[in-house]
Each structure stands twice: as C-alpha cells, then as structure tokens.
C-alpha cells in the first residue's frame, strides 16, 4: 500500500516540497510534465496538482495527504485535518489601501469595496471585526483594482511589498500569516495513518535540525559552571577534558532563535575556539 501525496505542480511550493522530501531521504523521479511520480525508497506516490485543487483532492481521498499553503486551506474550507506546519512558503495575507490614506483599523473599510482572490477569508475577517464592506472576487492582478476604480482597497498575499508600492498602494493590516502545511484526509485506514506517522517523523527531524546548531567550544575549568548554565542542549551539554590542563571541550545544541545572544554571552564568560556545525537530522 502506498501513501498518496499531492503537491503543487510548479512554482516555489513545488520546489520546496521536493526539497523537503529529499531531505527526508525520499527520492522522487519527476519527469517533465508528469502528473504522477513514485518514490523509489518509501511507499509514496506524488501527484502534481494546482495548489487551489489540493484541498478538494484530499477531502475526496484522491490524495491521502497534501502539502499546501495555509491560505488555500482556510479559503477552500474543506473537511480535512492540518497535521503539521512545514516551515517554508511563508507569506502574509494583508489588506492594502491607496498610499497616503490613513488606515487605523478595520473600521476604515466600512462601506468600501475590497478586491481579493480570498473572499472567504476576507468575509470572515470583516464579520469578526463587525465591518460591512463589498467584496469583489478577482482571480489575478488584484493590486491594479484601486487604480482602475474597481475597488477602494485590496486583500492579497504580500512578501516584500514592492508590487503594492509600484501600484500606489500601502500595506495596512495583516489578516493571516501563512506557510505550507501538511494536510490529511479525515477517514484514512490505520495502515495509511502509520505511513503518515513515519513521514511526519522524518519531517519533524529535518525541521528540528534546521532550527538548531551544534556548537563546540573550549572552556577554562574555573568558568565551566557559568558556561554550562548558558547551554541547555537537548538534555545537557557534553563536557570532555582537553590535553591542556585546566581546559575542557564543551559540546551542545543551540536553537537558531537564541543563537547569537548565547554566543555573545559565552564569549563574555570566557569560552574560546567556538565552532558552529549545521545539523542534517535531529532525532530526539
């Protein structure tokens, strides 16, 4: 029995999805314009689909699982389960208004026309804020709507904001932070659930490795207690004596978010010869 995975057939999410599978030790032979491929070393079939269609395919059990953006999941509102955030494809869905307009909160949108490709999410946002506005659904080039008189504001995916700027718009409020997620059908048999657990174990190991760094440093023994206190590690740091009397080698793992602050504290505490090594996989 094989697990059926749906991923985006082209674009950034496609590339990142294939890269994640490779990092999980799963090899996919993806020929030109192929709609389906099989893994050579894991019970997995991969379907290459439009991202907007993936939630429907997963709900209908055409695919057992899918890699897709959260924004698509929330917009389509299909009966499925979000299993894991994958850490790539990060973007934000934001309201934008004409440059120079004073947007203080959602009440600015009262009675206005909003152009968007995400009418379900926008409607939910407006309802939550108690705002009445007119939603115009547009499939593409949403940012030109205010310039041609179709709308007073837009809601669209934003990365750098340069497209908004070129069209005389400014980002006003983020209504959704999105990234790629793993979704699954709600009615899978136990064998496929076990396959998902195996895949999820690999994905989580890769994610943990990316979020952590392995460090090695030399510490004077009279400063060892202070230095160890700065290094939580997975359980506790490893300490080995050096050939040079009075010194020890300390090995540990640091989270990426805390890395630079702790490195500065280690240097101030007397640590020397600090080496930083990337972690390929992290099994805890």
């Amino acid at each position: 029995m094989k697990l059926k995975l749906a991923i985006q057939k082209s674009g950034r999410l496609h590339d990142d999805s294939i890269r994640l599978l490779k990092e999980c030790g799963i090899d996919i032979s993806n020929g030109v314009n192929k709609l389906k491929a099989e893994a050579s070393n894991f019970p997995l079939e991969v379907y290459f689909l439009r991202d907007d269609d993936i939630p429907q395919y997963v709900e209908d059990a055409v695919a057992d699982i899918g890699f897709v953006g959260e924004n698509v999941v929330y917009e389509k509102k299909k009966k499925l389960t979000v299993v894991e955030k994958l850490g790539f494809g990060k973007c934000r869905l934001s309201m934008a208004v004409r440059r120079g307009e004073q947007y203080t909160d959602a009440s600015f949108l009262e009675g206005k026309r909003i152009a968007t490709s995400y009418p379900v999410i926008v409607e939910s946002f407006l309802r939550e804020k108690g705002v009445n506005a007119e939603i115009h659904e547009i499939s593409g080039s949403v940012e030109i709507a205010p310039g041609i008189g179709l709308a007073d504001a837009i809601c669209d995916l934003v990365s750098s904001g340069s497209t908004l700027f070129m069209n005389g718009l400014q980002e006003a409020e983020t209504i959704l932070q999105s990234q790629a997620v793993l979704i699954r059908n709600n009615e899978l048999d136990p064998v496929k659930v076990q396959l998902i657990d195996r895949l999820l174990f690999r994905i989580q190991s890769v994610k943990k490795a990316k979020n952590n760094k392995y460090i090695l440093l030399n510490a004077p023994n009279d400063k060892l207690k202070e230095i160890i206190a700065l290094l939580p590690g997975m359980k506790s740091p490893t300490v080995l004596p050096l050939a040079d009397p009075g010194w020890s080698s300390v090995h540990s793992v640091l989270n990426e978010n805390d890395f630079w602050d702790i490195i500065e504290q280690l240097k101030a505490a007397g640590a020397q010869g600090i080496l930083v090594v990337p972690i390929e996989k992290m099994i805890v």
Side-chain angles (χ1 to χ4, degrees):
M1 181 177 289
K2 292 181 180 291
L3 194 63
K4 296 177 290 186
L5 165 66
I7 69 173
Q8 188 173 318
K9 64 181 180 181
S10 61
R12 189 160 57 94
L13 284 189
H14 167 88
D15 296 340
D16 288 341
S17 297
I18 294 295
R19 185 178 300 109
L20 175 60
L21 291 174
K22 185 175 181 180
E23 290 170 341
C24 290
I26 299 173
D27 294 326
I28 302 292
S29 298
N30 179 21
V32 178
N33 296 324
K34 286 182 65 175
L35 297 179
K36 187 176 80 168
E38 292 191 10
S40 60
N41 53 355
F42 191 87
L44 183 73
E45 289 182 342
V46 180
Y47 299 158
F48 303 101
L49 307 169
R50 290 180 64 254
D51 57 344
D52 287 352
D53 295 335
I54 290 175
Q56 183 69 64
Y57 278 103
V58 171
E59 182 186 61
D60 293 342
V62 175
D64 303 312
I65 59 176
F67 293 170
V68 67
E70 283 179 282
N71 53 301
V72 176
V73 174
Y74 297 139
E75 180 63 26
K76 298 302 179 182
K77 296 188 71 173
K78 301 300 180 182
K79 295 177 181 177
L80 47 80
T81 300
V82 175
V83 179
E84 179 84 4
K85 295 190 176 185
L86 299 176
F88 61 82
K90 293 182 179 181
C91 59
R92 58 192 184 273
L93 185 64
S94 294
M95 290 288 178
V97 298
R98 293 183 180 91
R99 201 156 57 241
E101 290 185 317
Q102 298 301 312
Y103 183 105
T104 53
D105 54 38
S107 63
F108 174 90
L109 302 168
E110 182 70 33
K112 290 185 169 59
R113 299 164 299 164
I114 304 170
T116 186
S117 300
Y118 299 91
V120 172
I121 296 175
V122 172
E123 183 181 3
S124 176
F125 170 77
L126 294 174
R127 185 168 57 250
E128 179 185 325
K129 299 296 184 179
V131 172
N132 292 310
E134 184 179 336
I135 299 174
H136 289 261
E137 183 176 359
I138 299 177
S139 59
S141 301
V142 175
E143 63 277 355
I144 70 171
I148 62 176
L150 181 62
D152 304 300
I154 71 166
C155 186
D156 202 14
L157 293 178
V158 178
S159 52
S160 67
S162 59
T163 303
L164 295 179
F165 183 82
M166 287 188 296
N167 286 275
L169 302 175
Q170 62 185 9
E171 189 173 359
E173 181 174 3
T174 298
I175 69 172
L176 175 68
Q177 294 283 355
S178 177
Q179 64 176 286
V181 293
L182 168 60
I183 59 174
R184 56 155 284 187
N185 178 274
N186 289 335
E187 299 179 1
L188 295 178
D189 63 61
V191 175
K192 289 197 172 181
V193 172
Q194 288 180 355
L195 289 176
I196 292 173
D197 289 341
R198 287 176 59 192
L199 177 61
L200 191 59
F201 173 74
R202 296 191 186 196
I203 290 172
Q204 290 172 342
S205 297
V206 169
K207 285 176 57 185
K208 286 172 184 173
K210 287 182 178 179
N211 291 333
N212 291 276
K213 302 291 185 185
Y214 188 82
I215 70 164
L216 305 86
L217 59 87
N218 297 329
N221 288 343
D222 60 347
K223 298 286 186 177
L224 202 52
K225 187 174 182 180
E226 181 182 351
I227 288 172
I228 288 175
L230 296 170
L231 293 168
M234 289 185 287
K235 289 190 180 295
S236 64
T238 300
V239 180
L240 302 170
L242 292 178
D244 190 359
W247 286 82
S248 296
S249 175
V250 181
H251 301 213
S252 189
V253 174
L254 289 182
N255 186 276
E256 183 77 38
N257 295 329
D258 305 323
F259 178 78
W260 287 111
D261 286 341
I262 293 181
I263 289 295
E264 291 172 1
Q265 294 176 55
L266 289 170
K267 283 181 65 65
Q272 297 180 13
I274 302 173
L275 300 179
V276 181
V277 182
I279 303 173
E280 184 176 334
K281 305 288 188 298
M282 188 168 169
I283 314 298
V284 295

